[in-house]
Amino acid sequence: MHRLKRALMWVAVAFVAFYLFTKPAEAAVAVNGVFDGILHGADQLATFCTRLLT
């Protein structure tokens, strides 16, 4: 099981590296989308906590 996880991790790393080197503009858009999603989620959580406490 440990070997499978390790192999899948290396496959994912290789895919990310391939994607980054072959399509850097699209990779940048994807990373920006991930960060936007994280920031939106954090903003929504902060709004929830603020309304919960007031």
Side-chain angles (χ1 to χ4, degrees), residues 1-28:
M1 186 69 163
H2 180 68
R3 285 184 161 191
L4 178 62
K5 287 182 183 180
R6 191 172 182 175
L8 289 175
M9 182 203 59
W10 281 111
V11 168
V13 168
F15 177 74
V16 169
F18 174 77
Y19 189 61
L20 180 64
F21 287 117
T22 59
K23 298 182 180 189
E26 289 87 348

Side-chain angles (χ1 to χ4, degrees), residues 16 19-20 23-39:
V16 169
Y19 189 61
L20 180 64
K23 298 182 180 189
E26 289 87 348
V29 169
V31 170
N32 280 335
V34 169
F35 282 126
D36 286 344
I38 291 170
L39 290 175

Side-chain angles (χ1 to χ4, degrees), residues 27-52:
V29 169
V31 170
N32 280 335
V34 169
F35 282 126
D36 286 344
I38 291 170
L39 290 175
H40 180 72
D43 185 46
Q44 294 295 349
L45 182 60
T47 300
F48 171 76
C49 291
T50 300
R51 290 187 180 175
L52 185 66

